[in-house]
Amino acid sequence: MRQSPVLFALVAALAPASLALRPALRSPPAAFVGRPAGAQPVLSRGAQPVLSASAKKPTGTASLSSSSINLVKTIVGSGVLSLPVGLAAFSASRTAVYPALALMGIIGAISAYCFFLVARVCEATGSTTWSEAWSASVGEGSAWIPSFFVGLLCFSASLQYTMILGDSFSSIFTATGLPNLISSRTGAIALITALGTLPLSLLPSLEKLKLTSSLGIGGIVYTTAFMISRCLSGAYGAGSSLSEAVAPALRPAFDKVQSTAAQSFSTALRSSKVFILVSVMATSFCSHFLAPQFAANLDQAGEPSKTGRLAALTSIGFVLAAALSALVMVAGFLTFGSASDGFILNNYAATDRLAQAARLAIGGSIVCTYPLLHQGLRDTLMETLGTARVPTTLAAVGVVTAIGAALTNLGIVAAVSGAFISTSIVYTLPSLMWAGLLGKRRAANGGLTRSEKLELLASRLITVLGLGLAVVGMRAAF
């Protein structure tokens, strides 16, 4: 198989890091801790306070290994299943995986650096939320901005989850012979919402559901292994029984004349459609809204500051997440090419039992984790509108369900969300916060160190990059 060397190389790259972190798999999920009551923000360089000595930084208890695994679980979600369609947006050549992997390395590195910036701002100011960190670094008057984008992110993710539930369970219900009223996509969404996501979202406490978040990474790992197996075996090759069982529009489609790797890099550089993949990648790496909690929860291990451990946490978490995401992207694209759907599992035949197991694994994990994500949207609406919990939940879930049933192209939704929302949270807001913090340090100390000047320049460039990607990504999505 032509695609085998690429996948085997990716598997080989992921295996050593996974073995190194095996002890963390036995560690229970860490509990997030809040900022002590009455603590005041502090600006510091290293361990030395710059503007205030009254802040008491949160004392974390989570080890580096368990925090790293939790970060991987946060990053790697069902959003990675839209990566193949992002790649297919600009090429139908198998060699397009090479520029796509290079792009993932670049986007992953920038995303990781911005996650580190948010964590450093929180560490320097003693903050445990985006609003606190923004107030201490940029200003209280605009502290609503990060809350606004986090609320949008929760809405967008809830919408995408609803669409995935419809696609997954519709196929499962159809294969089991259930009537069309239930097995249709709209019927599946309505049923799963009525019996699953809505009742769970109405629970007064979601504490017990946090344990089910491990199902998410388990479902992704199984789905990744399944996709790699189908890709390497050629089970969906032209004329195969599985390929014939798929709708013609979803069957593998590649250029008849394959481009060289150099030609694929040239295509990626010239095509504006590559920004669809960039936007989907931004969504896939978007874990930055939880960076304050990770920073607060990580133990200090006797060191004067957490900066070094935060750097290690970020590196381990994003490297493992990028490797797993790359496997999904490559396996999906090398199997279906330009026919890759916005939810790649839609490409696999309803008669493929392993594919049905993957749909069930992803769908089941989403049912359990949807309420945890919905809580962010609900709390934002309650704080903004001053409404009660139950009516807010009913209204929010109802609106998300209706829109999710009406929209069918998950790839477009992921691209638009990534272009406007994810790029803001991943690139623009973190860089603005770090630049604001450095500005206050300069005012307090009469200047910046050489490294701080370089980071200030990098922050400003990332801000421009984030704004540019938002504009170009939105245009490329339509």
Side-chain angles (χ1 to χ4, degrees):
M1 298 294 293
R2 297 178 60 181
Q3 59 266 41
S4 299
V6 178
L7 282 174
F8 280 129
L10 286 173
V11 172
L14 180 60
S18 300
L19 291 174
L21 286 173
R22 280 183 61 188
L25 295 174
R26 297 189 293 270
S27 303
F32 289 143
V33 296
R35 186 168 116 193
Q40 298 297 319
V42 59
L43 297 179
S44 63
R45 174 177 295 154
Q48 301 301 318
V50 172
L51 296 184
S52 173
S54 62
K56 181 181 179 181
K57 297 179 183 179
T59 302
T61 59
S63 67
L64 177 61
S65 57
S66 64
S67 294
S68 298
I69 293 300
N70 284 331
L71 180 56
V72 173
K73 289 193 296 185
T74 300
I75 298 172
V76 181
S78 56
V80 300
L81 299 175
S82 293
L83 286 170
V85 76
L87 202 166
F90 73 90
S91 179
S93 173
R94 289 183 173 87
T95 56
V97 298
Y98 296 112
L101 288 172
L103 188 60
M104 176 164 283
I106 295 171
I107 296 299
I110 298 175
S111 300
Y113 177 68
C114 289
F115 181 93
F116 184 46
L117 291 185
V118 178
R120 288 167 72 190
V121 171
C122 292
E123 165 69 3
T125 61
S127 304
T128 59
T129 68
W130 267 82
S131 294
E132 291 177 359
W134 185 276
S135 297
S137 58
V138 179
E140 293 185 8
S142 55
W144 60 270
I145 294 177
S147 298
F148 170 75
F149 276 100
V150 170
L152 281 181
L153 176 67
C154 291
F155 172 80
S156 172
S158 298
L159 175 60
Q160 293 178 59
Y161 275 10
T162 299
M163 296 174 69
I164 292 173
L165 288 174
D167 291 338
S168 297
F169 284 99
S170 174
S171 178
I172 294 172
F173 292 162
T174 299
T176 56
L178 291 176
N180 186 64
L181 180 65
I182 296 176
S183 62
S184 67
R185 184 174 179 275
T186 300
I189 289 176
L191 181 65
I192 297 301
T193 299
L195 300 182
T197 56
L198 178 58
L200 292 175
S201 297
L202 285 169
L203 290 175
S205 174
L206 303 179
E207 193 66 28
K208 293 182 179 179
L209 289 179
K210 291 184 178 180
L211 298 176
T212 65
S213 63
S214 298
L215 293 175
I217 191 66
I220 289 293
V221 169
Y222 167 76
T223 300
T224 303
F226 152 72
M227 291 174 63
I228 292 173
S229 173
R230 286 291 185 252
C231 180
L232 295 178
S233 67
Y236 281 82
S240 67
S241 58
L242 288 177
S243 177
E244 293 300 318
V246 175
L250 296 176
R251 293 173 187 171
F254 295 93
D255 288 340
K256 293 182 179 180
V257 178
Q258 293 297 302
S259 304
T260 64
Q263 289 172 329
S264 288
F265 272 99
S266 176
T267 298
L269 291 173
R270 289 184 288 104
S271 175
S272 63
K273 293 297 182 181
V274 75
F275 288 101
I276 294 179
L277 178 59
V278 172
S279 297
V280 175
M281 285 181 177
T283 298
S284 299
F285 283 117
C286 189
S287 59
H288 301 58
F289 61 101
L290 288 177
Q293 288 93 323
F294 276 100
N297 194 48
L298 183 65
D299 64 25
Q300 204 155 320
E303 298 179 10
S305 78
K306 295 183 182 180
T307 303
R309 294 176 66 75
L310 287 172
L313 166 65
T314 303
S315 300
I316 295 171
F318 274 82
V319 166
L320 290 178
L324 195 56
S325 300
L327 288 172
V328 171
M329 177 180 71
V330 171
F333 178 77
L334 290 183
T335 303
F336 297 103
S338 62
S340 297
D341 190 73
F343 179 54
I344 192 63
L345 292 183
N346 283 343
N347 286 92
Y348 295 90
T351 55
D352 189 337
R353 293 185 178 181
L354 294 181
Q356 293 291 47
R359 294 184 181 103
L360 185 61
I362 295 297
S365 69
I366 287 178
V367 169
C368 294
T369 56
Y370 176 100
L372 299 173
L373 187 63
H374 164 77
Q375 187 178 43
L377 173 61
R378 183 195 68 197
D379 291 349
T380 299
L381 291 174
M382 289 173 60
E383 181 180 356
T384 303
L385 304 176
T387 52
R389 178 179 61 84
V390 172
T392 303
T393 297
L394 292 173
V397 172
V399 170
V400 169
T401 300
I403 297 177
L407 299 178
T408 58
N409 193 326
L410 181 64
I412 292 295
V413 174
V416 172
S417 172
F420 178 61
I421 303 171
S422 298
T423 54
S424 298
I425 294 177
V426 174
Y427 310 123
T428 308
L429 299 185
S431 57
L432 286 174
M433 280 203 303
W434 186 246
L437 181 69
L438 291 180
K440 293 190 175 183
R441 282 185 179 176
R442 179 169 52 191
N445 294 281
L448 296 173
T449 65
R450 179 179 177 83
S451 63
E452 287 173 338
K453 290 179 180 178
L454 290 175
E455 285 204 281
L456 179 59
L457 176 61
S459 296
R460 288 171 175 167
L461 291 176
I462 292 174
T463 300
V464 174
L465 173 67
L467 294 173
L469 288 178
V471 174
V472 178
M474 288 289 287
R475 291 186 62 185
F478 292 103

